[in-house]
């Protein structure tokens, strides 16, 4: 269980950290996503910081389990709200969302199983 916990946590952290960088450097993909959802482009860096906080929180959770649990829970909430934003505008392009959401759920699940059972 320890190996799965470490591997999934690190993978989720790298995945969300890379998404955070994409948002923070002002790449065109997040801008297009914000435009499609009718959100201000000024929110891009805010979303990037949320993703960065989640990624760092997952890594911090390796030392402080509650921090990892909170970070993973926050990422699951973030992606749940992202799904609602997609559905609100009628977007059915959810493959990327599904991968990120599944990774966040997996990180939360292994965290809870490893530390809290």
């Amino acid at each position: 269980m320890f190996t799965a916990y470490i591997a999934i946590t690190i993978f989720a952290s790298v995945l969300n950290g890379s998404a955070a960088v994409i948002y923070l450097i002002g790449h065109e993909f997040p801008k297009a996503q914000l435009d499609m959802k009718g959100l201000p482009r000024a929110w891009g860096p805010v979303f990037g910081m949320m993703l960065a906080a989640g990624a760092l929180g997952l890594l911090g959770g390796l030392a402080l389990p509650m921090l990892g649990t909170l970070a993973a829970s926050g990422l699951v909430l973030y992606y749940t709200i992202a799904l609602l934003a997609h559905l609100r505008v009628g977007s059915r392009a959810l493959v990327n969302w599904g991968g990120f959401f599944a990774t966040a759920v997996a990180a939360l699940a292994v965290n809870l199983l490893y530390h809290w059972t």
Side-chain angles (χ1 to χ4, degrees), residues 59-101:
L59 290 179
L62 297 173
L64 299 168
M66 183 57 74
L67 179 61
T69 304
L70 292 172
S73 298
L75 287 170
V76 169
L77 179 62
Y78 176 90
Y79 290 116
T80 300
I81 293 170
L83 173 64
L84 297 175
H86 274 275
L87 296 177
R88 181 179 61 89
V89 297
S91 171
R92 299 293 183 253
L94 299 173
V95 173
N96 287 339
W97 171 85
F100 280 93
F101 181 72

Side-chain angles (χ1 to χ4, degrees), residues 16-42:
N16 286 287
S18 65
V21 168
I22 295 298
Y23 269 91
L24 292 172
I25 65 171
H27 193 272
E28 283 303 313
F29 180 76
K31 289 178 183 177
Q33 290 293 308
L34 291 167
D35 292 343
M36 181 210 21
K37 293 175 187 84
L39 300 173
R41 285 190 173 191

Side-chain angles (χ1 to χ4, degrees), residues 3-19 55 58-59 62 75 99-100 102-104 106-107:
T3 304
Y5 165 65
I6 295 295
I8 292 171
T9 299
I10 291 173
F11 178 73
S13 180
V14 169
L15 186 67
N16 286 287
S18 65
L58 288 173
L59 290 179
L62 297 173
L75 287 170
F100 280 93
T103 303

